[in-house]
Amino acid sequence: MIRDFNLVDGQLIVRQTGARIPINGDLFKEVALAGSFIGEVAVISATRQMKRVFGAPYRPKIAFVPMAARPWYAIWPVCHLGGIQIVRDPAEADLLFYFEDNEHAFASAPHPDTTPIINGTCRDIRKSKVAAVFKQVFGYDLTIDPLNWAGQAVVKSEQNGVHDGHIIDCPISEVRDEAVYSRLIDNTQDGITFTDIRTPIVGGNIPIVYLKRRSRRARFSNHNKRVELSTADQMFSQDEQTKICQFALHMGLDFGGMDILRDRIDNRIYIVDVNKTDMGPPTALPRADKLKAIRALGDSFSKFAKSKLQK
């Protein structure tokens, strides 16, 4: 697994994506928390297997292509607690999971003639694609024209997972290549704490949501002051939930996560990011809630996987 990273100028570089991770105290704390949770999931999974007796229900086998899902990706504990067996050889698998940690797919998806495939049509999660599908489903815009927009806006890289968003004043004189420009969303309730509604999708369902609370300074980063567990019914109307699931369908997203913001001014939601190789659960989430979340996701994924096998 250490081969997944390079060390350059005091930062870890993720080879697959190019994302940069500063080496500091926060990193060591997150690695320790993630490692502890991964170990706990492995023990629970192993204990369950030891308790299985002759005649126990068959465990569907899943393989990831073209790359393996490492333990820090959400799908790994989801499979372990959802009773799905991970195998390396696609020829042994009942299900395939198209797993490529890039915002735009480079490898060819396996042909699903005989083996059902998950996320097989989720090939492009660039922010411009997300914004276009969002407008198609919701009927209003996230993006703006920075050459003509008057006021503040957010500029981000097309690349996923770099957390380089920052506020600019518009209009500007020229646009940046490989960047997207969007409206500035006031996703606070008090003007101080910013809330990112991280919304997992499993086969067209929203089993749980994470509320990521951030300071103003860290609003575009991945550093959370705290994380709380909630439900779709608590955070979204039925119409919003329907449209979120329609959005996922249009993106080809069977399993993954979305970053959704609710604007305090117009009270509408905006899907700003999609991740088809979601990591998680968030390290700042309390331990008991991590297990609760993964069990809920695991149960939902198990049902979805079995429904794919029955078709």
Side-chain angles (χ1 to χ4, degrees):
M1 293 181 190
I2 196 152
R3 289 178 294 180
D4 294 340
F5 305 92
N6 287 325
L7 180 60
V8 179
D9 297 330
Q11 292 183 316
L12 286 178
I13 309 298
V14 182
R15 288 187 176 184
Q16 181 69 20
T17 64
R20 294 175 174 268
I21 306 172
I23 299 176
N24 52 33
D26 288 336
L27 172 63
F28 293 124
K29 181 180 178 181
E30 292 208 0
V31 168
L33 287 170
S36 175
F37 179 72
I38 289 167
E40 187 169 6
V41 169
V43 169
I44 293 171
S45 179
T47 302
R48 286 183 177 179
Q49 291 183 49
M50 290 174 64
K51 288 181 178 180
R52 290 183 183 276
V53 295
F54 181 76
Y58 177 73
R59 297 172 65 211
K61 297 178 181 179
I62 193 169
F64 298 93
V65 289
M67 62 176 286
R70 301 300 195 187
W72 50 82
Y73 289 101
I75 190 61
W76 189 90
V78 163
C79 285
H80 278 273
L81 295 191
I84 308 293
Q85 184 179 355
I86 299 174
V87 296
R88 291 189 177 185
D89 186 356
E92 297 179 11
D94 303 303
L95 291 160
L96 297 178
F97 193 120
Y98 184 75
F99 197 90
E100 185 179 7
D101 197 354
N102 285 303
E103 63 276 357
H104 191 266
F106 293 98
S108 298
H111 200 281
D113 275 348
T114 55
T115 307
I117 183 165
I118 294 169
N119 280 3
T121 59
C122 191
R123 311 282 293 167
D124 185 356
I125 57 168
R126 289 175 296 180
K127 292 180 178 63
S128 56
K129 170 76 171 183
V130 169
V133 175
F134 174 78
K135 182 179 180 181
Q136 177 186 353
V137 173
F138 282 79
Y140 53 92
D141 251 326
L142 170 66
T143 57
I144 55 97
D145 174 5
L147 300 176
N148 296 299
W149 181 266
Q152 291 187 314
V154 177
V155 57
K156 296 179 181 179
S157 167
E158 279 272 33
Q159 188 177 358
N160 203 34
V162 295
H163 303 288
D164 64 347
H166 60 277
I167 299 171
I168 60 170
D169 292 314
C170 293
I172 58 176
S173 58
E174 59 180 334
V175 297
R176 201 180 83 199
D177 290 339
E178 295 298 315
V180 292
Y181 297 83
S182 64
R183 62 177 63 240
L184 178 63
I185 299 167
D186 183 2
N187 55 315
T188 69
Q189 291 180 324
D190 55 9
I192 299 173
T193 301
F194 293 78
T195 300
D196 181 332
I197 310 171
R198 184 65 168 187
T199 306
I201 282 284
V202 183
N205 293 300
I206 309 171
I208 49 96
V209 297
Y210 304 111
L211 303 182
K212 295 183 173 183
R213 312 292 193 184
R214 295 171 180 166
S215 66
R216 180 177 296 275
R217 186 175 64 177
R219 65 187 294 188
F220 300 117
S221 76
N222 198 33
H223 181 67
N224 305 303
K225 287 174 59 177
R226 66 184 187 278
V227 179
E228 301 155 20
L229 202 57
S230 188
T231 68
D233 286 341
Q234 289 175 316
M235 301 311 301
F236 306 117
S237 69
Q238 286 301 314
D239 180 62
E240 287 170 341
Q241 291 181 55
T242 297
K243 288 179 178 175
I244 290 169
C245 293
Q246 287 175 349
F247 172 89
L249 181 65
H250 280 73
M251 291 293 298
L253 186 71
D254 298 316
F255 180 94
M258 307 178 197
D259 289 327
I260 302 179
L261 310 181
R262 185 178 295 281
D263 191 278
R264 182 170 64 156
I265 307 303
D266 64 19
N267 201 38
R268 297 196 292 193
I269 61 170
Y270 295 83
I271 301 176
V272 298
D273 247 330
V274 169
N275 198 325
K276 58 186 169 65
T277 52
D278 205 12
M279 295 188 184
T283 54
L285 190 69
R287 170 193 164 277
D289 283 343
K290 286 179 184 176
L291 287 173
K292 182 178 178 181
I294 293 300
R295 285 189 173 117
L297 292 169
D299 289 346
S300 187
F301 187 70
S302 178
K303 292 175 184 176
F304 174 60
K306 289 172 183 175
S307 73
K308 295 280 284 185
L309 292 175
Q310 290 169 359
K311 292 182 179 179

